[in-house]
Structures are given as structure tokens and as C-alpha cells.
Amino acid sequence: MFAYNLNKITMHIFNGKANLIAHLSAIKTSNSTIGFVPTMGALHQGHLSLMQQSTSENTFTVVSIFVNPTQFNNPDDLLKYPRTLDQDVAKINAFNSSIIVFAPSVNDIYEENVSSDSFDFDGLENQMEGKFRPGHYDGVGTIVKKLFEIVTPTTAYFGEKDFQQLQIVRKMVEKNNLSIKVIGCDIFREANGLAMSSRNERLTAEHREEASFIYKTLLEVREKFSTHTAAQINEWVEEIFTKIPSFELEYFQIADEETLLPLDKKIDTKTYRAFIAVFVNNIRLIDTISLN
């Protein structure tokens, strides 16, 4: 642990898991709760909204800042992922200086073995992101499980923008019998509707504005959902994205929220969600919306 000084910022940051574990052990009581917000840094208002919920519901809040190498199937994407620790610490400090920050090194987390464990998420990992990013959810499961073991949170907070990841984490908690409550928090959007993401920082101002089309499309999908079949909506989405040269639609899928399986025939007792991944000038963006 050390005091991080940046323009008179004094915030306790732990770079080593042993020191964090010792600190949490010292401050915890039988009645205290720990909220946990895992992040890969490049923090935005969406991350701060997760912290807000955690600090309002728990005795202590831990925020991790760690770009996890094992969940990147594209080495170039890992290389280009923004790393802004100084700015992240400043934002957290300005928001709530009592938050405990864990910013470990790759070596501290993985030691000599930077690799993923293998997980069975009952098929959740085979849909959408899993199809297009091989090994991604093994990497997610590996790092989240490691962080849960270090932080031992009462409750963990994840944004619903990556709803598939949220369901994956819930499944991991269930299958490992972990006594951790996993909370999904609403997507935080920019003024034009674009879902907030660290990758948005790599967009030009023009492409950032154009990317609002993704959310507008999802809103139209929700309107069509009651009167059109999934096949009709899929065809419509694929067609409209062919008309925008700077966009490349990777996938669009309407799926059962629980199983993430593609919708075939609507069942009144089930809830459905639309998922989309789009490359905007070669920068990959995802979004989702509840349909009923």
C-alpha cells in the first residue's frame, strides 16, 4: 500500500494482493460488507455509477483497475487498450476518496502462468461474444474468480452493457457455490445514446456521433419486437447496416435472457434481449437492450 500523490491526491492504492488481503482482513468486522467493482480502467461515468451504487449499499468498496491479458483474443486490441491509471485515480478520488483501489501488475495476479483456466458455463459461453472471441470467457472467468478470491466481496457490480458477461459471472458464482451477490446495473449512455465504453475514446468525434445509430437501431428493434418475428428483425438489421460504409455489423441476435440462446418462437413467460456488435472504423462496440 502507498499514498498516491497526484496534484495533492492522497488515496490508498494496493498494487499487491497480499497487502490488500491484509488490509481488508484488518478493517472487516462481522457486520461489515464489501462491494466490489472490477474494471479495466479508462474510467467513465458508467464506472462511477457502479461505484455510486456500491458505496451506497456497502461498508467498504473496492475498485480494481487491471487490463486482463487472458480475455483478449486479439493481441492488437490488448496493445491498444487505453491505460490511464493517473486519470482513473484522480476520478475515483474526486468521486469518493474512501474507495479502496486495487491496481495490480500482471505478475502479481498470474505470477509465472499467464493463462486461462477452462470453464463450463452451461453453454452461455458459446453464444455471441463467445463465437467471435474464442477463449474470451475463459479469460473473464479466470480473472473474476481470482479477484473474488482476493477481495472476498459481499456484492459485486457489473454493467449490463456486457449482459453476456454478467450472466457468465452469475453462472460462475452459482457453480462454485460462492456467497457473492452479483448485481447488474443499468447501461450509462452518452447524450446521443451511445453506450459508454472505454473504447469510445478511440473514436473520432465524427464516428462517435455516427455510432449513436447503434442505440437508435436497438430502440427500433424493441418497437418491432411485438409485431415482427426474430427472422424479420434480423434481416432488417443486417440490411440497414450494409448502407453505412464506416460500420461493419459483426453480429445481431435476439436471445433468451437466461440461456442466451437465439429466439426461435416467442414464449410469453420468457424475457428477451437484443444484442449487437459493430465495428465503427475498426473499433469494436457492443450494446444490448431489453425487449419485454
Side-chain angles (χ1 to χ4, degrees):
M1 179 186 72
F2 64 91
Y4 199 86
N5 293 307
L6 177 68
N7 296 329
K8 299 184 179 179
I9 286 175
T10 302
M11 170 174 272
H12 294 307
I13 301 177
F14 293 87
N15 297 106
K17 60 189 175 186
N19 288 337
L20 175 64
I21 291 168
H23 178 71
L24 292 175
S25 178
I27 64 175
K28 281 190 296 188
T29 69
S30 59
N31 296 322
S32 62
T33 60
I34 297 176
F36 179 43
V37 180
T39 83
M40 292 207 298
L43 302 181
H44 50 68
Q45 193 62 41
H47 294 114
L48 296 180
S49 71
L50 303 183
M51 296 177 208
Q52 172 65 47
Q53 186 163 345
S54 179
T55 54
S56 68
E57 295 176 354
N58 296 280
T59 315
F60 307 106
T61 289
V62 176
V63 174
S64 63
I65 300 173
F66 180 68
V67 180
N68 176 39
T70 64
Q71 69 189 68
F72 286 83
N73 60 304
N74 181 342
D76 189 53
D77 196 22
L78 173 60
L79 185 65
K80 291 181 178 177
Y81 199 88
R83 292 163 173 83
T84 57
L85 182 60
D86 286 1
Q87 295 95 312
D88 294 340
V89 168
K91 286 178 182 178
I92 296 172
N93 183 77
F95 173 72
N96 188 325
S97 61
S98 71
I99 288 173
I100 300 163
V101 176
F102 182 42
S105 66
V106 172
N107 185 64
D108 187 66
I109 292 294
Y110 286 100
E111 298 177 355
E112 301 301 319
N113 184 26
V114 184
S115 62
S116 297
D117 297 329
S118 294
F119 290 85
D120 175 8
F121 297 112
D122 292 346
L124 295 174
E125 72 275 23
N126 298 326
Q127 301 301 318
M128 297 168 297
E129 293 292 289
K131 287 181 180 178
F132 291 91
R133 303 179 69 184
H136 172 65
Y137 285 120
D138 278 340
V140 169
T142 299
I143 186 58
V144 173
K145 188 168 183 288
K146 285 179 181 292
L147 290 171
F148 280 178
E149 289 167 352
I150 294 166
V151 177
T152 62
T154 313
T155 308
Y157 299 83
F158 293 82
E160 288 189 346
K161 180 173 72 70
D162 195 337
F163 190 85
Q164 185 173 7
Q165 175 179 271
L166 172 63
Q167 297 297 68
I168 289 278
V169 172
R170 284 172 170 158
K171 182 62 68 174
M172 186 197 69
V173 166
E174 173 194 322
K175 298 196 100 176
N176 287 274
N177 296 311
L178 303 178
S179 56
I180 300 170
K181 186 177 182 181
V182 178
I183 301 292
C185 302
D186 290 343
I187 298 172
F188 214 92
R189 298 186 179 276
E190 299 187 7
N192 65 4
L194 176 63
M196 285 196 175
S197 169
S198 302
R199 287 183 170 88
N200 293 358
E201 299 306 314
R202 294 171 55 196
L203 297 169
T204 65
E206 180 183 357
H207 285 126
R208 198 162 181 155
E209 189 55 41
E210 280 187 354
S212 65
F213 182 73
I214 298 169
Y215 183 53
K216 291 172 185 173
T217 299
L218 290 179
L219 290 174
E220 288 197 51
V221 166
R222 187 159 65 185
E223 287 185 13
K224 292 177 181 292
F225 185 68
S226 60
T227 56
H228 292 66
T229 66
Q232 289 171 330
I233 295 174
N234 289 345
E235 184 179 348
W236 174 76
V237 170
E238 289 173 6
E239 181 182 351
I240 62 173
F241 273 94
T242 62
K243 299 176 181 177
I244 309 176
S246 57
F247 284 19
E248 179 188 344
L249 178 66
E250 185 173 63
Y251 68 76
F252 170 80
Q253 182 168 306
I254 295 175
D256 180 320
E257 277 198 357
E258 184 177 352
T259 66
L260 302 182
L261 291 172
L263 170 62
D264 181 23
K265 183 179 180 181
K266 294 176 191 175
I267 299 174
D268 290 342
T269 56
K270 291 186 175 292
T271 53
Y272 299 100
R273 181 173 282 269
F275 299 83
I276 194 167
V278 180
F279 285 96
V280 180
N281 196 32
N282 295 319
I283 297 165
R284 190 175 186 272
L285 305 176
I286 63 172
D287 205 345
T288 181
I289 196 170
S290 177
L291 298 178
N292 57 337

